[in-house]
Amino acid sequence: MTEKKVYAAISAVAKDMATTGISKDRKNAQQGFNFRGIDQVYNALAPALVNHGLLILPRITERTVTERTTQKGGVLFYVVVKADFDFVSTEDGSIHTVTTYGEAMDSGDKATNKAMSIAYKYAAFQAFCIPTEETAIDADAEVHHVNPAGADQILAEFTQYASSENDSTKLKEAYAATWNRLNGFPDHQAKCKDVSGIRIRELKQAA
């Protein structure tokens, strides 16, 4: 069996990263820790990827968005993305796929961009064994403080989840967890039960 060139390319890039590294010269102003920004990762990786004939091609396979309320009453968009990164050898076209998740919050329109950057950054850290001590998530120099989710928000999140979930077992598990979170709010628990019941009946009819 012909050896796939992609693994030799990944190893070569990892060797370069072990030699040059990526310095932690970015600082989170709010909490005082140092981190490596996504631009530093790109700048460090680009020459090594070119030199060793390796491409990293991203595919975002899942994305969820939730609105959160800050302690000051503002709105934050909390985004989670699931991304597949195809590591491709330009020599023989062989591929190895790395899957990571990215999470980020932003008060404007950049939460998705941040989440994608985080997913890429940690795919690179893990694939090339780049040290991550003191490395912050790449919502970069920001730390957001959110209030605990209220009963209305918990119910809204469950309703959104139920509408997209096609596995009745997972739906029942989510319902049980949401019911417990709504302890002390009987009206919300009743609505949660109604949402779950309606969706389960829909799934049974569709089966």
Side-chain angles (χ1 to χ4, degrees), residues 47-120:
L49 295 175
V50 172
N51 290 339
H52 300 295
L54 186 65
L55 303 175
I56 302 179
L57 306 177
R59 289 179 287 119
I60 305 301
T61 59
E62 295 178 14
R63 175 178 176 269
T64 61
V65 183
T66 305
E67 288 190 15
R68 300 285 180 85
T69 303
T70 69
Q71 291 179 336
K72 296 181 179 180
V75 176
L76 284 171
F77 298 99
Y78 172 66
V79 172
V80 179
V81 298
K82 180 181 179 182
D84 289 342
F85 296 93
D86 292 331
F87 288 63
V88 185
S89 168
T90 60
E91 187 172 346
D92 68 348
S94 56
I95 300 173
H96 179 82
T97 301
V98 174
T99 301
T100 55
Y101 288 83
E103 304 178 40
M105 285 188 281
D106 191 76
S107 58
D109 60 355
K110 295 184 175 54
T112 299
N113 292 344
K114 289 180 177 180
M116 290 191 297
S117 295
I118 293 165
Y120 183 99

